[in-house]
Amino acid sequence: MIPVAITVNGKVRKAHVEPRTLLVHFLREHLNLTGPHVGCDTSQCGACTVLVDGKSAKSCTIFAVQADGSSVMTIEGLAPEGQLHPVQQGFWEEHGLQCGYCTPGMIMSAVNLLNETPKPTEQQIRDGLEGNICRCTGYHNIVKAVSAGAKAMGR
């Protein structure tokens, strides 16, 4: 077992993990943060997307030991006071979800996109979300939701 100390949603979390423990499993099984979903086991779907040191990352592609010393934000940490983050609000208002399985990863990717590109065009939104798969919505309302989130953020 290897010791890790990862700041998750603003709080330092320490544990001993097997070297092969994926970050997504550390978050879900050790910390009970079930927002990052395991959707494909091949890093294709993006349902496990979190922010690692401010950048979106598929947590099924990172070992927990690789995240040692890093800051990780999950969907649970996006709105700590119970207020929805503007991107979450956009998904609510623009019906950017159906089953909801991909939604946490989509939202975390969108937050990363808006941090890097405050006023994205529709094409930039589509390009920014290309690593995330939704099998329900057809993406139109997701793009509208991200655009609404950007506007609500004053961007």
Side-chain angles (χ1 to χ4, degrees):
M1 300 292 262
I2 297 176
V4 294
I6 305 169
T7 302
V8 180
N9 299 331
K11 183 178 178 183
V12 176
R13 306 301 296 262
K14 295 180 180 181
H16 286 81
V17 298
E18 290 188 27
R20 65 181 181 208
T21 302
L22 294 172
L23 180 58
V24 69
H25 294 301
F26 174 75
L27 296 169
R28 291 180 61 83
E29 296 164 14
H30 290 264
L31 304 183
N32 294 317
L33 296 171
T34 57
H37 295 151
V38 179
C40 65
D41 285 328
T42 60
S43 77
Q44 300 298 309
C45 75
C48 67
T49 301
V50 297
L51 300 182
V52 178
D53 294 330
K55 300 287 184 186
S56 65
K58 293 178 181 177
S59 60
C60 74
T61 65
I62 301 168
F63 292 113
V65 296
Q66 291 175 292
D68 185 36
S70 295
S71 177
V72 174
M73 180 177 288
T74 69
I75 192 80
E76 291 92 345
L78 199 55
E81 302 284 326
Q83 287 285 111
L84 292 178
H85 183 278
V87 175
Q88 291 172 308
Q89 189 67 38
F91 269 71
W92 174 266
E93 292 173 359
E94 298 296 334
H95 310 287
L97 61 110
Q98 284 185 18
C99 82
Y101 200 81
C102 71
T103 304
M106 286 282 186
I107 289 173
M108 298 310 287
S109 291
V111 168
N112 180 74
L113 168 69
L114 297 179
N115 287 339
E116 293 179 354
T117 309
K119 294 182 180 183
T121 64
E122 179 181 332
Q123 189 59 51
Q124 287 172 313
I125 293 171
R126 290 182 183 279
D127 291 345
L129 298 177
E130 72 181 354
N132 297 74
I133 296 172
C134 175
R135 292 182 171 102
C136 300
T137 68
Y139 302 97
H140 182 70
N141 286 351
I142 292 172
V143 173
K144 287 174 38 179
V146 175
S147 183
K151 288 177 185 158
M153 292 170 76
R155 298 176 170 187

